[in-house]
Amino acid sequence: MSSEFSTIQPGGSLILAWRIQGKKVLVIGGGAVASGRINHVLNADGIPIVVSPEKGLCKEVEFRIHEKQVEWRNREFSPEDVTDDIAMVLSAVDDPSLSTQIYQLCQSKRIPINAADIPPECDFYFGAEIREGPLQIMVSTNGKGPKLATIIRNHIRDNLPDGVSPAITQTGLLRQKLRELAPTPEMGRKRMRWMIRLCEKWTLNELGSLKEEHMDKLLCHFPSSVPTYKELTRPPPSAFANCIWATTILLTGGLVFAKYWKQR
């Protein structure tokens, strides 16, 4: 019986795609590590608030401040920075004692925190990430081997098939149109099954090549069938082709009739 189910492997982390659009994220520090954290927040459409004196800023953080991509507080960290509207805290300071104080403060306020290079003081980890348009893949060693995570990440990235990003983008557009066509909860299972059949039948390059004008034509087959890419995109026969086809039929029929008449 037990072989029917997944084997539990304790000691891991709960891997999530955390949506922080429009939420404030406190980044403490202004060096290279803080710069990477800021980039993660900006890529997720969050609002970074950087606390660091000017002397502690690296060039990239200075650039983000100059471009007004972050809110900057030009001073050392203060407990008053951890307000109730902060969604998460990213500590990137070189002072372990200060980092521990920040961690304890966040724990008391029930605000999730990541303290760089101090795994026991992290509610979550940053992994080695692959980003190809809408595709995001994270490799985590749960804080045990960051360099190994990077090596594994690079191996996965170098072996991704071509056409992944456009395939995901166009599939997302099609799913949105399908949901508009069949919006009721009762149609949810049919939508899912039809999309599964499509993704299994078409290649990534075919999905990525799907033009919007073909999507409505494709959705006409929902939920009963899934045509091949060639069937969907095959151009209709021209008037000239129809004329040739009709002429061929007439000539063939005439020849058959003539042969039959001659035999009589």
Side-chain angles (χ1 to χ4, degrees), residues 81-93:
D81 290 316
V82 186
T83 52
D84 291 339
D85 59 345
I86 297 295
M88 71 170 65
V89 174
L90 309 177
S91 175
V93 297

Side-chain angles (χ1 to χ4, degrees), residues 13-206:
S13 298
L14 182 63
I15 303 296
L16 300 172
W18 196 341
R19 299 175 63 84
I20 61 168
Q21 291 93 329
K23 296 181 180 180
K24 295 180 180 180
V25 178
L26 186 67
V27 181
I28 305 168
V33 174
S35 175
R37 301 295 194 253
I38 291 168
N39 289 346
H40 281 301
V41 175
L42 290 174
N43 284 331
D45 299 324
I47 303 172
I49 300 173
V50 179
V51 179
S52 173
E54 186 172 3
K55 64 181 180 180
L57 301 178
C58 69
K59 289 184 178 180
E60 185 170 0
V61 176
E62 288 179 345
F63 170 78
R64 302 296 176 196
I65 293 171
H66 181 267
E67 294 296 312
K68 301 186 184 307
Q69 296 176 345
V70 305
E71 177 186 328
W72 177 38
R73 298 173 184 175
N74 183 10
R75 55 173 172 76
E76 299 289 350
F77 169 77
S78 169
E80 285 72 30
D81 290 316
V82 186
T83 52
D84 291 339
D85 59 345
I86 297 295
M88 71 170 65
V89 174
L90 309 177
S91 175
V93 297
D94 294 330
D95 185 343
S97 175
L98 174 59
S99 192
T100 297
Q101 293 177 33
I102 297 170
Y103 169 74
Q104 292 173 346
L105 175 62
C106 291
Q107 291 290 290
S108 69
K109 290 178 171 287
R110 304 179 70 84
I111 296 175
I113 177 174
N114 173 275
D117 294 328
I118 311 178
E121 297 181 359
C122 293
D123 292 315
F124 58 93
Y125 301 120
F126 284 91
E129 183 183 354
I130 298 170
R131 180 72 185 269
E132 295 286 345
L135 174 66
Q136 288 182 274
I137 300 174
M138 191 187 85
V139 178
S140 173
T141 59
N142 287 296
K144 292 179 173 59
K147 181 58 180 178
L148 288 178
T150 301
I151 292 172
I152 297 168
R153 183 272 311 273
N154 292 343
H155 177 75
I156 295 172
R157 181 190 59 202
D158 294 342
N159 288 277
L160 282 175
D162 295 332
V164 169
S165 180
I168 296 172
T169 298
Q170 296 309 102
T171 300
L173 290 174
L174 181 65
R175 288 186 72 234
Q176 182 178 345
K177 285 179 171 288
L178 178 58
R179 187 174 291 276
E180 293 171 358
L181 175 68
T184 62
E186 293 76 16
M187 296 297 289
R189 188 175 294 275
K190 289 185 178 181
R191 290 197 307 265
M192 180 177 66
R193 289 176 176 172
W194 190 79
M195 287 300 304
I196 289 173
R197 291 169 61 193
L198 176 70
C199 292
E200 291 177 342
K201 192 169 188 176
W202 288 28
T203 67
L204 289 174
N205 285 331
E206 288 173 342

Side-chain angles (χ1 to χ4, degrees), residues 1-7:
M1 176 68 75
S2 61
S3 61
E4 299 179 16
F5 309 111
S6 300
T7 300

